[in-house]
Amino acid sequence: MKFVNLDRQYARLKSDIRDRIDVVLDHGQYIMGPEVQELEQRLSEYTAGTHCVAVSSGTDALLIALMALDIGPGDEVITSPFSFIATAEAICLLGATPVYVDIDESTYNIDANCIEAAISHRTKAIVPVSLYGQCADMDAINGIAEEYSLIVIEDAAQSFGARYKDRPSGSLSPVATTSFYPSKPLGGYGDGGACFTTQSDLADKIRKIRVHGQNKQYIHSTLGVNGRLDSLQAAVLLAKCNIFSEDLKKRQLAASYYTECLTSARFEGVPHLESYSESAFAQYTVRVKNRDQIKATLHNSGIPTMVFYPVPLHRQQAVANPESVCPISEKVAGQVLSLPICPYITRQEQDFVIDCFLKANET
Ligand SMILES: *Cc1c(COP(=O)(O)O)cnc(C)c1O
């Protein structure tokens, strides 16, 4: 069994993907070809018409968004300690300081109730992460940000397709970013990502930073990066867009099946969804006490599992902030275990995982 089975989706889309790739190979516009703009339009439809700028990865999307907001040395950015390194890395690369606010113990997302206490005169932005596919409590976060004139950037790398109070992830704050890393809910065949913004002037700035801060060819007014998405990658993603909604439903059904079966076996560590949430279920993550043992037992039965993430960011040497105190993140980081999930996982596979998991959890 694979942790994320990408082969089955490819088998289904093989001819569409190959046709799309052939078009690029024929027109030869490998850089910023027409597919990139077509993809941006398509993605903007998923995010309630928000401006979309396709970029080279989810990490670059964060970096470019922060650059467009002029975040740099001396600035503080409030974020979640329970995320992939990229969230904090982008902040640190620009010379700003990540200030970690502990997570809510049931959603694993930043605890909005604790944000206010972390705001200082240096705070510029809040970067909530919509972890495992469930949106952070964006209305509460936006409310605080408005009060203190801070900008909010949703790290929606895992939540593309998710909904919060029936509004799509990516459209919930002035700026959002996502990733098209192959195993993400909308994954390409390589690196890719996107920035979303509700503000057209910011979209222009992000576009400019994507190509070396270029105003027109070889004229540069600000610093930028090479942050473009390849036409070939856009072509692959366009083929996948046609089945994205359907895949998302299947992913959600697979998650519900796990939850239903595990709950009826009286297992209490299933993911908690807020009533306002429709998760994209990038991961199906449970909480257990004897994780190492369960992981090893499942591995021996041929079931791969993952730990996202074993060390919280405030404890990672590269992006540490010793002043941030996050006991809940530390506790949760020691207990989470992600089970295999993808739109194409079968009931039989899930039954096998559930059976092995429950047995391992009992012993
Ligand atoms: C995957 C991920 C990223 C980075 O995306 P890449 O495309 O791999 O650069 C950033 N933040 C979170 C929360 C992620 O899961």
Side-chain angles (χ1 to χ4, degrees), residues 56-60 62 83-87 129-131 155-158 177-181 184 191-193 309:
S56 38
S57 71
T59 305
D60 288 341
L62 283 162
S83 182
F84 181 56
I85 186 79
T87 316
V129 179
S130 296
L131 200 74
D155 182 345
Q158 301 184 12
T177 61
T178 198
S179 163
F180 305 125
Y181 185 83
K184 301 278 159 111
D191 282 308
Y309 297 91

Side-chain angles (χ1 to χ4, degrees), residues 6-39:
L6 299 174
D7 313 352
R8 292 176 190 163
Q9 189 198 46
Y10 179 58
R12 178 172 172 203
L13 288 179
K14 193 166 183 163
S15 67
D16 291 357
I17 289 172
R18 289 181 167 238
D19 288 351
R20 275 283 189 176
I21 288 176
D22 273 342
V23 173
V24 177
L25 296 178
D26 286 337
H27 69 50
Q29 295 179 58
Y30 306 119
I31 301 293
M32 297 305 283
E35 287 76 13
V36 175
Q37 213 189 340
E38 189 184 345
L39 179 70

Side-chain angles (χ1 to χ4, degrees), residues 16 39 73 103 134 160 163 209 253 261 265 284 287 319 330:
D16 291 357
L39 179 70
I103 56 169
Q134 170 166 229
F160 192 74
R163 297 180 83 79
I209 294 170
L253 283 174
C261 296
Y284 185 87
R287 248 174 103 179
V319 296
E330 284 169 32

Side-chain angles (χ1 to χ4, degrees), residues 138-313:
M138 296 301 289
D139 281 355
I141 294 164
N142 286 329
I144 298 163
E146 245 164 68
E147 202 175 312
Y148 290 88
S149 301
L150 308 174
I151 188 108
V152 178
I153 306 167
E154 183 198 8
D155 182 345
Q158 301 184 12
S159 61
F160 192 74
R163 297 180 83 79
Y164 169 89
K165 300 182 185 175
D166 214 26
R167 289 176 279 142
S169 179
S171 75
L172 306 168
S173 49
V175 189
T177 61
T178 198
S179 163
F180 305 125
Y181 185 83
S183 59
K184 301 278 159 111
L186 179 60
Y189 291 152
D191 282 308
C195 296
F196 299 94
T197 176
T198 51
Q199 301 167 9
S200 61
D201 54 334
L202 209 49
D204 291 342
K205 214 166 158 190
I206 289 170
R207 284 212 165 82
K208 210 160 106 171
I209 294 170
R210 174 175 65 177
V211 278
H212 306 286
Q214 177 170 281
N215 290 344
K216 52 183 188 186
Q217 200 170 26
Y218 305 129
I219 305 296
H220 308 266
S221 56
T222 55
L223 283 179
V225 295
N226 176 352
R228 297 174 300 239
L229 181 76
D230 291 336
S231 307
L232 281 169
Q233 219 45 257
V236 170
L237 288 163
L238 277 165
K240 292 195 177 200
C241 278
N242 293 331
I243 59 156
F244 179 65
S245 301
E246 200 185 310
D247 272 9
L248 187 68
K249 280 257 154 55
K250 287 190 197 156
R251 207 180 254 285
Q252 289 164 336
L253 283 174
S256 308
Y257 187 66
Y258 269 143
T259 293
E260 194 185 297
C261 296
L262 292 172
T263 306
S264 64
R266 294 207 170 74
F267 172 71
E268 288 177 352
V270 297
H272 169 80
L273 283 195
E274 290 292 335
S275 56
Y276 53 65
S277 272
E278 231 177 86
S279 175
F281 279 105
Q283 302 301 340
Y284 185 87
T285 305
V286 296
R287 248 174 103 179
V288 292
K289 292 209 175 68
N290 47 342
R291 181 175 66 197
D292 292 350
Q293 194 195 319
I294 295 173
K295 194 175 187 355
T297 308
L298 291 178
H299 174 80
N300 291 337
S301 306
I303 299 169
T305 58
M306 299 286 280
V307 175
F308 302 117
Y309 297 91
V311 180
L313 301 178

Side-chain angles (χ1 to χ4, degrees), residues 344-362:
Y344 301 88
I345 192 167
T346 65
R347 278 283 158 98
Q348 291 90 315
E349 286 170 326
Q350 285 195 278
D351 287 337
F352 182 58
V353 173
I354 292 160
D355 189 47
C356 293
F357 172 80
L358 288 170
K359 276 182 193 145
N361 190 49
E362 271 164 20

Side-chain angles (χ1 to χ4, degrees), residues 54-75:
V55 299
S56 38
S57 71
T59 305
D60 288 341
L62 283 162
L63 187 71
I64 292 169
L66 292 165
M67 284 173 82
L69 296 165
D70 296 315
I71 285 167
D75 297 333

